[in-house]
Amino acid sequence: MTSPSSTPRGTVLISGASITGPALAYWLHRAGFGVTVVEKASAPRGGGYPIDIRGTAIEVVRRMGILPRLRDAHVDTGRFTFLDADGGQIAALGADTVAGSMAGQDLEVRRGDLTAILYAAVRDDVELLFGDSVDTLDQSGNGVDVTFRSGTRRTFDLVLGADGIHSRTRELVLGPEEQFDRYLGYAVAVCTVPNTFGLSREVALWSTPGRSAALYATGDGNEVNAFLTFHQPERPLAALREPQARWDLVARTFAGAGWEVPGIVEAMRHAGDLFFDVVSQIRMPTWSNGRVALAGDAAYAPSFLTGQGSSLALVGAYMLADSLARHRGHDAAFAAYERGTREFVTMNQALVDNGGARLFPTTAEALEQRNAMLRGLAAMPATTPRPAHSALVLPELAPAP
Ligand SMILES: Cc1cc2nc3c(=O)[nH]c(=O)nc-3n(C[C@H](O)[C@H](O)[C@H](O)COP(=O)(O)OP(=O)(O)OC[C@H]3O[C@@H](n4cnc5c(N)ncnc54)[C@H](O)[C@@H]3O)c2cc1C
């Protein structure tokens, strides 16, 4: 067992090494904590769909010194083309206009590239345990006694859950996911498919009421990311549990679809990296319990409909680490983290209520309204960014108290 007092500021276990986890590890190490990160995957996950880093989150990565590397990895999607049921063009817009991004300032990178850059920033300074996960947490003593799946037992001063929307840490200390999950009425299936479409740094989005298929080419390469997003008034529970039911649901939903959709569905059947989930937000009255706190998707997943998940992850990690650096007791630190971050989170989660789901209309009437709006936008200059991206001014990282 490690001693809770073996480092000047104490020891922290972070569960999850995607975006929130390594960002937290970076700032907590800088603040003098002894940091261990446990990740259930056997290695950092590469590849993946493109994510955005915008507004306040740009300042976080600038302070981490990784902005130049992220600029190198920037996808720089040029065009976003909207297609009707037969594959005819409705409108073609600049990708920044669709995402509400600020051209030249906000970044779009493949999720795996961001994870790799964050991992490189911490791997020499913190303990990383891949291929393991937390089994039990016991807060009855002066620290948190942790049993890992591997059977190892250790004690840490604090445990931070950065383990995503289906957080096991949250379940262990704050209860079942259902009570915090706000289902947004869609399911999504994502994978990479061969780029037989001749797409390059662009997105093509086909829509009919309640169904959409997107091809997202992050470069000129041989593969593109395919997204099937579809309306499901009730959570598709069987599809979440069983691969065959999942596949049946996707095939049934997109049967008879036009454009390239049949080929996408067929390619998905054989994809090795199929990701399927419902589209939800996590909304919690509090993000901590005792010596355990949550950050990123585990605490406040905003859903991909907002395009703000990665930015909230980076900003939330910074704010949590800053609060722990600034306050001696974890109670005061966790309270300060929530005070400083909740409004920003709420504002960004509200993007789905204020039109964030407008790209995926569920009725013919809403689809026609969306298309009319797109045709109008195509005739206008680029938009200014939505203020929610930049609404939080970061404090300077606090020195030790
Ligand atoms: C299809 C899709 C499209 C998206 N598009 C965008 C976008 O365009 N823009 C954007 O900003 N965001 C987007 N997002 C959201 C974004 O991916 C997340 O908000 C972001 O990844 C959150 O980071 P995180 O580190 O908090 O959680 P995650 O990235 O979910 O990482 C959690 C990590 O914890 C690990 N883990 C899980 N359980 C355990 C356990 N028990 N023990 C140890 N490790 C564990 C996982 O393996 C993973 O590495 C999208 C998400 C999806 C699903």
Side-chain angles (χ1 to χ4, degrees):
M1 293 224 183
T2 49
S3 154
S5 55
S6 58
T7 64
R9 301 299 309 274
T11 55
V12 181
L13 173 69
I14 298 168
S15 177
S18 171
I19 298 173
T20 308
L24 262 174
Y26 176 88
W27 292 111
L28 288 173
H29 167 73
R30 286 237 341 211
F33 289 88
V35 180
T36 300
V37 184
V38 62
E39 162 61 52
K40 71 176 181 185
S42 55
R45 293 185 183 188
Y49 48 82
I51 52 90
D52 308 287
I53 305 170
R54 296 193 269 214
T56 307
I58 291 282
E59 178 59 12
V60 174
V61 295
R62 190 190 67 75
R63 291 185 189 183
M64 292 177 83
I66 58 174
L67 186 54
R69 291 196 60 196
L70 289 167
R71 286 212 189 287
D72 289 345
H74 179 47
V75 171
D76 203 12
T77 301
R79 195 170 47 157
F80 205 123
T81 307
F82 293 85
L83 306 170
D84 65 19
D86 302 321
Q89 181 173 315
I90 296 163
L93 297 170
D96 288 323
T97 305
V98 179
S101 289
M102 212 162 173
Q105 292 188 33
D106 296 345
L107 292 172
E108 182 190 26
V109 295
R110 283 155 61 90
R111 191 168 83 141
D113 290 346
L114 173 58
T115 298
I117 290 168
L118 290 168
Y119 171 65
V122 297
R123 71 178 159 216
D124 295 334
D125 297 322
V126 307
E127 181 186 22
L128 289 150
L129 310 172
F130 284 99
D132 206 352
S133 61
V134 171
D135 197 18
T136 65
L137 297 172
D138 178 3
Q139 302 199 58
S140 55
N142 280 334
V144 190
D145 297 327
V146 180
T147 310
F148 292 88
R149 279 276 146 85
S150 58
T152 312
R153 295 175 61 201
R154 290 171 64 174
T155 301
F156 297 87
D157 288 310
L158 303 171
V159 173
L160 305 178
D163 43 357
I165 192 164
H166 304 300
S167 169
R168 165 91 176 138
T169 313
R170 183 182 59 225
E171 186 183 21
L172 286 172
V173 299
L174 286 145
E177 183 169 320
E178 295 77 64
Q179 56 187 310
F180 308 120
D181 176 291
R182 180 174 177 237
Y183 178 54
L184 297 176
Y186 295 89
V188 61
V190 185
C191 69
T192 46
V193 301
N195 185 2
T196 52
F197 316 95
L199 298 171
S200 171
R201 293 184 197 283
E202 62 187 303
V203 186
L205 176 68
W206 168 95
S207 304
T208 61
R211 301 185 298 178
S212 83
L215 290 173
Y216 201 140
T218 55
D220 311 317
N222 298 330
E223 290 191 322
V224 292
N225 293 99
F227 290 72
L228 296 178
T229 307
F230 53 103
H231 182 49
Q232 286 285 288
E234 302 297 329
R235 233 174 273 258
L237 295 175
L240 286 168
R241 277 193 304 265
E242 300 160 33
Q244 186 58 44
R246 178 175 312 167
W247 171 250
D248 291 346
L249 177 66
V250 170
R252 202 167 55 242
T253 303
F254 287 90
W259 186 52
E260 304 279 0
V261 179
I264 296 172
V265 171
E266 190 52 28
M268 235 173 217
R269 186 198 287 274
H270 305 291
D273 61 350
L274 180 63
F275 166 89
F276 179 92
D277 206 350
V278 293
V279 182
S280 292
Q281 292 189 332
I282 296 295
R283 296 193 176 195
M284 306 183 69
T286 180
W287 300 332
S288 65
N289 178 357
R291 293 172 172 272
V292 182
L294 307 172
D297 270 12
Y300 32 76
S303 89
F304 84 92
L305 299 177
T306 68
Q308 281 293 94
S310 312
S311 294
L312 285 188
L314 289 163
V315 172
Y318 182 95
M319 294 299 285
L320 175 52
D322 175 69
S323 299
L324 285 165
R326 214 174 270 276
H327 297 272
R328 213 166 257 294
H330 59 270
D331 287 337
F334 293 159
Y337 159 54
E338 288 206 25
R339 248 191 338 270
T341 319
R342 188 170 282 280
E343 191 183 341
F344 184 63
V345 163
T346 304
M347 195 179 270
N348 281 285
Q349 289 194 324
L351 291 170
V352 288
D353 304 323
N354 305 330
R358 216 183 295 158
L359 280 188
F360 305 102
T362 57
T363 64
E365 188 188 2
L367 180 59
E368 195 33 59
Q369 280 171 5
R370 185 206 72 172
N371 291 347
M373 180 195 75
L374 293 171
R375 289 188 197 99
L377 272 178
M380 280 165 53
T383 57
T384 49
R386 287 172 287 188
H389 299 165
S390 314
L392 192 149
V393 178
L394 291 180
E396 288 302 323
L397 195 71

